[in-house]
Amino acid sequence: MPPTISTINPTQGPTTGGTVVTLTGTGMTGTTSVRFGSTNATSFTVNSATQITAVSPPRAAGAAAVTLIHPTGNSNSVTFTYVVAQVPQVTGVTPASGPTAGGTPVVLTGNGFTGATAVTFAGLPAASFVVNSATQITAVTPAGGAGAAVVTVTAPGGISAPDAFFFYAAPPALHNGSPAQGPTAGGTVVTLNGSNLLNTSAVLFASTNAASFTVVSATQITASAPAGTGSAPITVVTSGGTSNPVAFAYVAPPTLSALVPSTGPASAGTVVTLTGANLATTSAVTFGTTAASFTVVSDTQVTAVAPAGAAAPVTVSVTTAGGTSPGLPYTRTATPGI
């Protein structure tokens, strides 16, 4: 009994040939040839009694009857239409940029992609690609040099014009950040210096987004720290990848528990011992609004020289990288008259 063909997929292809078609039907085992019109397929494989895959030969534009030649007789025919192959055209590349290391999945849009045999980025073949339709290809970028790379598609109709581009971005790098500490409440404005910082899409303190950031130039960013605790290395993210980290640490706010002595003369010179917590990064000690000279003894103790002032109570506070402490009273007394 001769074989039968029920379907052919796809139903059309370019006049240059090379289209892989799948024929389904019955009785296909033993097929000796597959013909497109009067021309044998370039090659074919009998997958089973119900399926054959064949490669279309070159042929003039128009309909061609596809038949199976079999010892029991020829099959019925199904129609495969030859069309003049369209020169591919790439009209869009999304995303339009990625790291020089490659590996970015991109979607190419355009037309004439059917049967595409190659996708290149600046002449380098894509790491992989899939033809989704005549108007869309998904491809994975190869590694490339920083800058614009022409994207081309090769299909039966030819090679697309060099009108589409993918931009390889060099990876960002951070050299330093200042200050390297700030209060747990956040809000510290950190200046980051580095390279390849344009098009930064995120600044991260550990894994938390900065409260805000501004790209000043390709070598500098300012970022406002979010609230946090402990060590929070800073990194920046661009289309070129994620930078190396630079150190940033959150400092707990200072507290004062005692002043010894808590009273002294209105004249300057009394050495006051301030006891509390989180005092290691003390940057200022004030008696009222007057700054005092001081020495950081430990994280729990600072000594300060009381400045001169009017005989009256004043509030003593310390300022650290973690903020300014609540104050404790220090009372200046008048010098007794003679």
Side-chain angles (χ1 to χ4, degrees), residues 309-336:
V314 293
T315 298
V316 179
S317 61
V318 298
T319 300
T320 72
T324 299
S325 72
L328 289 179
Y330 177 81
T331 303
R332 294 189 180 102
T333 56
T335 302

Side-chain angles (χ1 to χ4, degrees), residues 19-266:
T19 303
V20 178
V21 299
T22 300
L23 304 169
T24 58
T26 62
M28 295 179 171
T29 302
T31 294
T32 57
S33 66
V34 178
R35 289 183 180 167
F36 288 70
S38 59
T39 307
N40 286 334
T42 302
S43 64
F44 73 94
T45 301
V46 179
N47 302 316
S48 69
T50 59
Q51 187 183 86
I52 288 176
T53 53
V55 179
S56 65
R59 188 177 168 88
V66 179
T67 56
L68 305 181
I69 308 304
H70 195 275
T72 61
N74 297 346
S75 71
N76 62 302
S77 66
V78 291
T79 301
F80 180 83
T81 303
Y82 280 91
V83 296
V84 176
Q86 181 181 8
V87 177
Q89 180 183 28
V90 181
T91 58
V93 180
T94 305
S97 63
T100 55
T104 303
V106 298
V107 175
L108 309 180
T109 53
N111 48 64
F113 294 162
T114 300
T117 56
V119 176
T120 64
F121 292 77
L124 298 173
S128 64
F129 72 92
V130 175
V131 179
N132 303 317
S133 68
T135 60
Q136 186 183 87
I137 289 175
T138 55
V140 177
T141 61
V150 173
V151 181
T152 62
V153 171
T154 301
I159 300 174
S160 61
D163 297 330
F165 298 88
F166 179 83
F167 294 87
Y168 281 102
L174 290 179
H175 303 153
N176 55 67
S178 180
Q181 295 177 314
T184 55
T188 302
V189 177
V190 181
T191 298
L192 303 169
N193 296 304
S195 58
N196 304 317
L197 304 181
L198 290 178
N199 301 314
T200 291
S201 57
V203 177
L204 302 177
F205 286 69
S207 59
T208 303
N209 284 321
S212 62
F213 69 91
T214 301
V215 178
V216 179
S217 68
T219 60
Q220 189 175 91
I221 291 174
T222 56
S224 179
T229 59
S231 175
I234 304 172
T235 55
V236 300
V237 180
T238 74
S239 57
T242 300
S243 74
N244 59 294
V246 293
F248 183 84
Y250 286 100
V251 180
T255 61
L256 290 178
S257 56
L259 303 179
V260 178
S262 60
T263 62

